[in-house]
Amino acid sequence: MPTPESRSAARPVAPSARTHLAVRGMTCAACVGRVERALRKVSGVADAQVNFATETASVSWATEVAPDEGLTALLAAVERAGYLAQWLAPDEAPQELVESAWSVWGPVALGALASLPLMLPMLWGDHHFWPAWVQFALATPVQFILGARFFKAGWAALKAGSGNMDQLVALGTLAAWGLSVWLWWRHDGHGGGHAPALYFESSAVVITLVLLGKALEARARRQTTQAIRALQALRPETVCRVGPEGEVEVPLAQVLVDDVLVIRPGERVPTDGVVTEGHSHVDESLLTGEPLPQSRGPGERLSGGAINAEGRLVMKVTAVGGQTMLSAIIRRVVEAQAGKAPIQRLVDRVSAVFVPVVAFIALMAGAWAWWGGLGGEAALIRAVSVLVIACPCALGLATPAAIMAGTGVAARHGVLIQDPQALETTHRVQVVAFDKTGTLTVGQPRVVAWEVASASGTTALTRDQALAMAAALQSGSEHPLARAVLQAAAGMSGIPRMGQLTAHAGRGIEGTLEAPSPTGARPAPLASGQERVATPMGQASDMPDDVWRLGSQRWVSELIPGGVDPDLQALAATWARQGRTVSWLMRRAGEGWQAMAAFSFGDEPKPEAREAVAGLQAMGVRTVMISGDNRGAAEAVATALGISEVIAEVLPGDKADHVHRLQQGEGGKRRIVAMVGDGINDAPALAAADVGMAMANPQGGTDVAMQAAGVTLMRGDPRLVASAIEVSRRTTTKIWQNLVWAFGYNVIGIPLAAMGELSPMVAGAAMAMSSVSVVLNALWLSRWRPRNGAMA
């Protein structure tokens, strides 16, 4: 477990900053409330949330406090409440206690060995099978040695003025043991005689069963933190750093921004950075859920935790420590698992009064039996049974165990849920509003179509020639449309060379042909005074240079005022109505210009987008597109994807207003709206929505969106939206199942115990199984897989 001294230099904790603690010694939901009350009393604390399942506390500060002073005060408060606490880094899960198998299971085994002989007489219904002194000798070590933990924890809670599960176990078993001793003494069975109906076996068996339940519960709870521990394991301990002395292995903690690292095949990427040398594929499945390795080369980003496949990569470090994507993911998973869902508030209120209410019911059950003439023994047995079965462990585990399992399995598959509030709200989403560019579309322009002008004499081009000439003009340009042209022409042979390339701002680019075109030779030199007319591409022209231009509709209108090929102009108009960008390829012809071809650029829908929209609609969720793009482009994409409602030409600052309008609904009935976006301009809308979903964008801007969103989709796959809703629904269902299960044990068991229908031993077994069953039911979520194939 880290200590403050092991970290960097201390600095004041700003208002709203959080401090995380690992809390040891909690045994039930009542302990949670006790620790929370103690932490909230510390000066400067705004709020404190304690999670029983993760054994962690998250403290937010209202005023600035020096870290050492604030941490000391928090640790002291927890200690006064009767527990132990240690500091945790924001991206760290509590370390598992190093315990041998004997320390965990040894007490259970010893308790079973002592309890088994006491249980044998029950098979024959003979309470006189063992002499009283044998029963006493077997039960007493279990009661006071193996059960000492219950007395210690119960006494600490009592001194703090609160109740907990340990008090119920301690009171119940001590009452059974004490009653047996009393009956033995009263019937003078201490000399070897047999006392009638002794209950030493109830005392020993209940403690053994509670110990067994605690061991199984701890084992199951450890499984719920596997998602965090798996992410933490992605950090290598050492890295290969390139320095003046060459390649040297150094600890990861010594790596700084701008260091140069080498990642060999099979090694994990140690931190975030950019590739400077080499090509390879990297496996990012544990970070993003993407099942296929991704190609990486110079200039492309690497995320810490990914596995380098086959090639040697050299990278320049861009982020270290808590600033890396892996740390951000771990931090959000830790915070989500440590937080509380709104339904947990009800459970906390119930748990706060649970122990005194149960103690009262036990007292009344015993008194009623006494007044009913059943005798003191039967009265005490009924009271003990009520105390034993009413353990509130299951109540404390019901909600956090499901949240831990749900957020953990979602994170493994690329859905990062930031807090339990988002998890609990997402399942109620009625409307999903999508941003268009980069969310439903690729986010980069592509050459969607191109066409050449109709043949006019011998001046026409083929489609391949037109694309080759456009690629020649755009060679070396970093403009998005230039990259689209070069991508479309990738793999083509015979692309000519252009010289004297000149950019005309707001219009396009001009170049002179330097090499033979794809279909012919360079033009022959002009003789003195010779004139030439335009000739087919690749043949000599009447101009001294073969000049070409690629530019906008505005430019072609200026250069060719008489208009271009009518068929091509009509096609370009159709493209423009669809919201596409149109560029024209022109060639100088005599004193004027001739339009040779038109290119249509568009942002194509992602391959998975239509399936994502259909999946949401099949779930009964309404889909809307909110885009700043022109209406033609937005409606074209929406039609292709099956979205019927489009809000287009929206300024970034106005998107939040449209989200609010969607929330208002019809007839004043408020609707739950989720907003999905991928960039900085979407942050206000993400914050305004009931659930903001930030989609990873390789072009940047995701970090800002993540801060405003409750859910982060770690891949640019819109199908993850339906997956987030699905996992939220499953998790919410598990929460309610667990609460019904936990309350059901008590609602059914307490009356039965009060009526004398349950012995203390059966009550103890039921109590132990309630906690285990709740955790196992939550862990069933780890088997969840999305139905839409987004994470296959």
Side-chain angles (χ1 to χ4, degrees):
M1 186 74 63
T3 62
E5 293 74 20
S6 67
R7 303 294 183 182
S8 58
R11 56 182 181 275
V13 177
S16 78
R18 286 189 174 272
T19 298
H20 299 270
L21 304 173
V23 181
R24 303 294 186 189
M26 295 187 296
T27 57
C28 66
C31 298
V32 171
R34 190 163 135 218
V35 176
E36 285 181 343
R37 289 191 296 272
L39 291 172
R40 287 168 182 161
K41 291 179 182 178
V42 175
S43 177
V45 171
D47 190 26
Q49 292 187 347
V50 177
N51 188 297
F52 179 44
T54 59
E55 295 184 305
T56 59
S58 178
V59 179
S60 59
W61 297 90
T63 59
E64 289 207 6
V65 180
D68 290 342
E69 295 178 6
L71 179 60
T72 301
L74 294 178
L75 298 180
V78 175
E79 185 175 353
R80 285 194 300 270
Y83 305 91
L84 296 176
Q86 291 175 296
W87 178 67
L88 286 176
D91 59 348
E92 185 175 21
Q95 294 183 0
E96 293 186 53
L97 295 176
V98 180
E99 296 178 320
S100 64
W102 174 253
S103 65
V104 176
W105 295 101
V108 178
L110 292 175
L113 288 174
S115 302
L116 185 60
L118 295 173
M119 293 175 60
L120 289 177
M122 299 178 62
L123 299 177
W124 293 275
D126 182 6
H127 285 275
H128 305 284
F129 190 87
W130 297 111
W133 69 269
V134 174
Q135 297 181 49
F136 174 84
L138 290 172
T140 300
V142 177
Q143 178 70 42
F144 294 103
I145 298 177
L146 300 182
R149 54 182 289 182
F150 304 112
F151 291 95
K152 292 178 182 178
W155 176 246
L158 187 62
K159 288 194 299 181
S162 63
N164 64 3
M165 179 274 293
D166 299 291
Q167 292 170 342
L168 298 180
V169 175
L171 284 173
T173 57
L174 185 61
W177 182 89
L179 174 62
S180 300
V181 172
W182 163 256
L183 292 175
W184 178 26
W185 176 82
R186 193 183 71 175
H187 291 280
D188 195 26
H190 56 279
H194 301 290
L198 301 183
Y199 299 99
F200 284 118
E201 80 281 351
S202 295
S203 165
V205 171
V206 166
I207 287 180
T208 301
L209 287 173
V210 173
L211 291 174
L212 174 61
K214 285 294 181 184
L216 293 174
E217 175 188 308
R219 180 182 178 185
R221 283 162 58 184
R222 282 195 296 271
Q223 295 180 34
T224 61
T225 61
Q226 285 181 350
I228 298 175
R229 303 192 191 285
L231 289 170
Q232 290 175 328
L234 298 182
R235 297 169 172 148
E237 294 183 0
T238 61
V239 299
C240 180
R241 184 171 63 187
V242 179
E245 66 280 11
E247 298 180 6
V248 179
E249 291 286 335
V250 298
L252 177 60
Q254 296 182 10
V255 174
L256 303 175
V257 173
D258 292 333
D259 279 354
V260 178
L261 308 179
V262 174
I263 303 98
R264 306 179 188 92
E267 292 182 342
R268 288 196 181 276
V269 178
T271 188
D272 294 356
V274 177
V275 177
T276 58
E277 296 179 27
H279 289 83
S280 185
H281 286 81
V282 296
D283 180 0
E284 299 178 337
S285 57
L286 284 177
L287 291 173
T288 67
E290 174 61 56
L292 299 177
Q294 303 298 299
S295 176
R296 292 291 183 268
E300 295 183 303
R301 296 188 297 175
L302 291 173
S303 297
I307 301 176
N308 181 25
E310 74 281 356
R312 181 179 185 271
L313 294 175
V314 179
M315 64 174 282
K316 183 178 181 180
V317 177
T318 59
V320 296
Q323 304 303 314
T324 64
M325 177 182 289
L326 177 59
S327 291
I329 292 173
I330 297 175
R331 186 161 54 249
R332 280 167 172 76
V333 174
V334 169
E335 290 174 353
Q337 293 193 344
K340 289 187 178 182
I343 187 62
Q344 182 66 22
R345 297 168 190 157
L346 170 63
V347 178
D348 290 345
R349 288 195 293 269
V350 172
S351 300
V353 299
F354 191 84
V355 172
V357 168
V358 168
F360 177 76
I361 293 174
L363 180 63
M364 294 303 297
W368 185 263
W370 180 279
W371 292 333
L374 298 180
E377 299 175 18
L380 188 56
I381 290 299
R382 291 191 181 187
V384 169
S385 298
V386 171
L387 291 173
V388 170
I389 199 171
C391 169
C393 290
L395 283 179
L397 290 169
T399 299
I403 289 175
M404 291 171 64
T407 54
V409 70
R412 287 199 300 271
H413 294 298
V415 178
L416 186 59
I417 298 172
Q418 185 166 317
D419 56 66
Q421 176 72 51
L423 178 68
E424 192 167 326
T425 304
T426 301
H427 83 279
R428 298 188 290 120
V429 166
Q430 299 165 283
V431 181
V432 172
F434 285 99
D435 173 54
K436 180 180 77 71
T437 304
T439 303
L440 290 174
T441 65
V442 176
Q444 298 177 350
R446 296 183 179 181
V447 177
V448 178
W450 74 97
E451 192 55 72
V452 297
S454 301
S456 175
T458 57
T459 62
L461 301 179
T462 66
R463 283 171 48 84
D464 285 348
Q465 289 172 339
L467 181 58
M469 291 303 299
L473 286 166
Q474 299 286 24
S475 59
S477 174
E478 292 298 324
H479 191 279
L481 296 184
R483 290 198 295 267
V485 170
L486 295 173
Q487 182 180 6
M492 291 188 66
S493 59
I495 296 178
R497 293 174 54 194
M498 286 283 179
Q500 302 176 14
L501 290 171
T502 304
H504 296 260
R507 287 172 172 79
I509 192 165
E510 175 184 311
T512 303
L513 191 65
E514 281 191 347
S517 64
T519 58
R522 285 290 312 274
L526 284 175
S528 177
Q530 180 181 4
E531 293 184 1
R532 293 183 183 169
V533 296
T535 54
M537 179 179 177
Q539 299 179 14
S541 73
D542 287 320
M543 301 300 295
D545 294 305
D546 200 2
V547 183
W548 295 77
R549 285 179 174 178
L550 181 67
S552 64
Q553 177 67 50
R554 172 186 175 185
W555 207 13
V556 79
S557 299
E558 293 173 352
L559 296 175
I560 313 176
V564 301
D565 181 295
D567 293 336
L568 195 56
Q569 183 63 62
L571 181 60
T574 300
W575 289 339
R577 285 194 298 271
Q578 295 173 348
R580 305 251 177 100
T581 300
V582 180
S583 292
W584 292 86
L585 177 66
M586 297 168 285
R587 184 184 188 188
R588 191 159 66 181
E591 295 299 325
W593 292 87
Q594 180 180 6
M596 307 298 292
F599 290 82
S600 170
F601 296 87
D603 187 9
E604 289 289 270
K606 293 180 178 178
E608 313 87 0
R610 185 172 182 83
E611 182 183 351
V613 171
L616 287 170
Q617 293 171 347
M619 297 169 70
V621 178
R622 173 182 162 196
T623 55
V624 180
M625 179 190 292
I626 301 179
S627 175
D629 210 341
N630 67 73
R631 179 161 296 278
E635 290 184 345
V637 172
T639 300
L641 300 181
I643 299 177
S644 58
E645 186 172 350
V646 179
I647 304 173
E649 300 175 358
V650 180
L651 296 175
D654 296 335
K655 287 185 177 181
D657 295 334
H658 288 283
V659 169
H660 288 310
R661 293 190 186 98
L662 290 172
Q663 289 170 330
Q664 291 172 4
E666 300 174 357
K669 186 176 181 180
R670 194 181 186 282
R671 291 181 296 206
I672 305 300
V673 176
M675 176 68 196
V676 187
D678 74 319
I680 296 174
N681 64 329
D682 297 317
L686 292 172
D690 297 282
V691 181
M693 297 188 183
M695 181 174 288
N697 181 353
Q699 305 304 315
T702 306
D703 292 344
V704 176
M706 286 175 64
Q707 298 301 322
V711 177
T712 300
L713 311 177
M714 297 306 296
R715 297 198 313 279
D717 187 344
R719 294 178 298 177
L720 292 178
V721 176
S723 297
I725 296 176
E726 184 183 351
V727 75
S728 174
R729 290 180 177 180
R730 294 289 187 91
T731 303
T732 303
T733 299
K734 287 296 181 185
I735 289 175
W736 283 107
Q737 287 177 351
N738 281 350
L739 289 176
V740 170
W741 196 266
F743 279 111
Y745 267 101
N746 291 317
V747 169
I748 297 174
I750 291 177
L752 289 176
M755 292 185 295
E757 299 297 325
L758 292 180
S759 69
M761 185 171 60
V762 174
M767 181 273 294
M769 287 307 300
S770 67
S771 297
V772 176
S773 60
V774 161
V775 177
L776 292 179
N777 184 51
L779 288 176
W780 194 257
L781 273 172
S782 62
R783 300 169 59 89
W784 172 80
R785 295 294 183 273
R787 291 174 295 179
N788 61 15
M791 307 174 199

